[in-house]
């Protein structure tokens, strides 16, 4: 078995997740690049990693489905022998809407993918990493959003609520497993230039909200990835339960 540590990045095929996968491979991690639908994008990330001498594979699975998450962890163990780290990055937004326009189906999807998927994936990671379960420890990094702090009124307060849940869960789990060899932290990005805005029907959103950002520009996916790789690394050995802001001062 390779000595390199193995990492599962949910939603690792595009945007911030792709940047995390690529940077992690450069830092020596073996990377399972999860995707839900766009297999070509995942294969492209894997090809770039392999071309540069790294190790990675594309892993289909919808984090909105418990069975998919369980199969994903089994596959990572099968391919890499173990799971040393998890980045809970997969996330979705919906159309801009007021709360009085949101139906239960939308709310259920927001919570299922953004919050419940994060918790179930962390559960599967803890089962394998915790020294209580015979594991050798590990690291979990969750991705929230400044929406958790700003509330996203008139846009997606449901998404904001899910991301606030991710942050509370980060603190709770971090304290729960602090003596079991597992660090759990969170990166809280501001507005980042990715395709997520177009998926919510606002392709120009990143540029449009720049005026409200003290640095007057959206962040890049790589700038978020740098923060994630720090928290994954031993350089962050005394950090757990922390929320690292990457938002241009917003
Ligand atoms: P993105 O460009 O839309 O990419 C989303 C990624 O997640 C894709 O790889 C996608 O795979 C995957 N994904 C979506 N639904 C999934 C599911 N149900 N199961 C598994 N994978 C799924 O998004 P992004 O902007 O990089 O966002 C990444 C994370 O950062 C999210 O948690 C988001 O909430 C958070 N965030 C983003 C911003 C921002 O401004 N961009 C700001 C704050 C926080 P497929 O292509 O196969 O569907």
């Amino acid at each position: 078995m390779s000595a390199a540590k193995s990492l599962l990045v949910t939603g690792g095929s595009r945007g911030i997740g792709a940047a995390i996968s690529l940077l992690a491979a450069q830092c020596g991690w073996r990377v399972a690049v999860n995707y839900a639908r766009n297999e070509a994008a995942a294969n492209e990330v894997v090809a770039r990693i392999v071309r540069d001498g790294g190790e990675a594979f594309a892993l289909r699975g919808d984090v909105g489905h418990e069975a998919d998450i369980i199969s994903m962890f089994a596959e990572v163990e099968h391919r890499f022998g173990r799971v040393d780290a998890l980045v809970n990055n997969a996330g979705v937004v919906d159309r801009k809407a007021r709360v009085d326009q949101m139906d239960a189906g939308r709310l259920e999807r927001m919570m299922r993918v953004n919050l419940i998927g994060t918790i179930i994936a962390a559960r599967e990671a803890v089962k394998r990493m915790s020294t209580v379960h015979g594991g050798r420890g590990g690291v979990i990094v969750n991705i929230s959003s400044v929406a958790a702090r700003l509330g996203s009124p008139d846009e997606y307060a449901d998404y904001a609520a899910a991301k606030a849940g991710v942050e509370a869960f980060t603190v709770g789990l971090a304290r729960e497993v602090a003596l079991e060899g597992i660090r759990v932290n969170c990166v809280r990005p501001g507005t980042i230039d990715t395709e997520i805005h177009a998926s919510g029907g606002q392709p120009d959103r990143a540029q449009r909200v720049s005026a409200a950002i003290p640095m007057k520009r959206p962040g890049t996916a790589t700038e978020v990835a740098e923060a994630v790789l720090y928290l994954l690394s031993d350089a962050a050995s005394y950090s757990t339960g922390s929320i690292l802001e990457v938002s241009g001062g917003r």
Side-chain angles (χ1 to χ4, degrees):
M1 192 198 307
S2 163
K5 289 187 171 180
S6 74
L7 164 68
L8 166 60
V9 183
T10 68
S13 55
R14 293 190 294 111
I16 293 168
I20 294 166
S21 297
L22 293 165
L23 191 59
Q26 284 172 26
C27 294
W29 292 88
R30 294 181 291 169
V31 189
V33 179
N34 162 244
Y35 68 98
R37 286 161 293 271
N38 190 339
E39 185 177 10
N43 285 339
E44 172 60 24
V45 171
V46 169
R48 284 177 66 184
I49 290 172
V50 171
R51 198 164 54 221
D52 291 341
E55 203 180 333
F57 71 97
L59 179 60
R60 205 210 72 79
D62 183 338
V63 301
H65 295 294
E66 182 178 24
D68 281 19
I69 297 172
I70 291 169
S71 313
M72 280 160 53
F73 273 84
E75 183 64 15
V76 178
E77 273 186 322
H78 175 67
R79 298 285 289 257
F80 289 155
R82 62 182 200 254
V83 185
D84 298 297
L86 164 70
V87 178
N88 268 316
N89 165 80
V92 291
V93 295
D94 208 319
R95 300 273 145 175
K96 181 178 157 83
R98 283 171 47 95
V99 172
D100 52 18
Q101 298 168 318
M102 294 176 186
D103 63 24
R106 167 182 170 135
L107 299 180
E108 200 269 337
R109 172 173 170 261
M110 256 331 98
M111 298 302 153
R112 189 161 40 84
V113 174
N114 292 321
L115 178 56
I116 298 174
T118 292
I119 296 174
I120 292 175
R123 179 193 76 195
E124 292 305 305
V126 167
K127 281 183 187 171
R128 290 160 175 83
M129 296 172 182
S130 170
T131 51
V132 165
H133 298 301
R136 58 170 84 194
V139 196
I140 299 172
V141 177
N142 298 322
I143 306 295
S144 68
S145 166
V146 289
R149 188 162 47 67
L150 301 174
S152 301
D154 302 311
E155 197 170 37
Y156 26 66
D158 51 349
Y159 169 82
K163 291 297 191 180
V166 168
E167 295 189 0
F169 173 69
T170 299
V171 174
L173 182 64
R175 292 176 180 177
E176 199 168 295
V177 298
L179 284 178
E180 298 174 24
I182 307 174
R183 293 185 298 105
V184 187
N185 291 290
C186 186
V187 169
R188 181 195 278 156
T191 302
I192 308 300
D193 197 6
T194 71
E195 292 167 351
I196 199 171
H197 310 291
S199 73
Q202 303 185 67
D204 62 339
R205 185 177 178 280
Q207 295 304 328
R208 190 163 37 79
V209 305
S210 288
I213 302 169
M215 287 190 183
K216 302 295 178 205
R217 66 168 178 89
T220 67
T222 301
E223 287 173 314
V224 180
E226 293 281 2
V228 171
L229 264 295
Y230 163 68
L231 289 169
L232 286 175
S233 78
D234 290 342
S237 57
Y238 198 50
S239 290
T240 199
S242 72
I243 316 277
L244 178 50
E245 194 93 39
V246 183
S247 64
R250 188 155 189 229

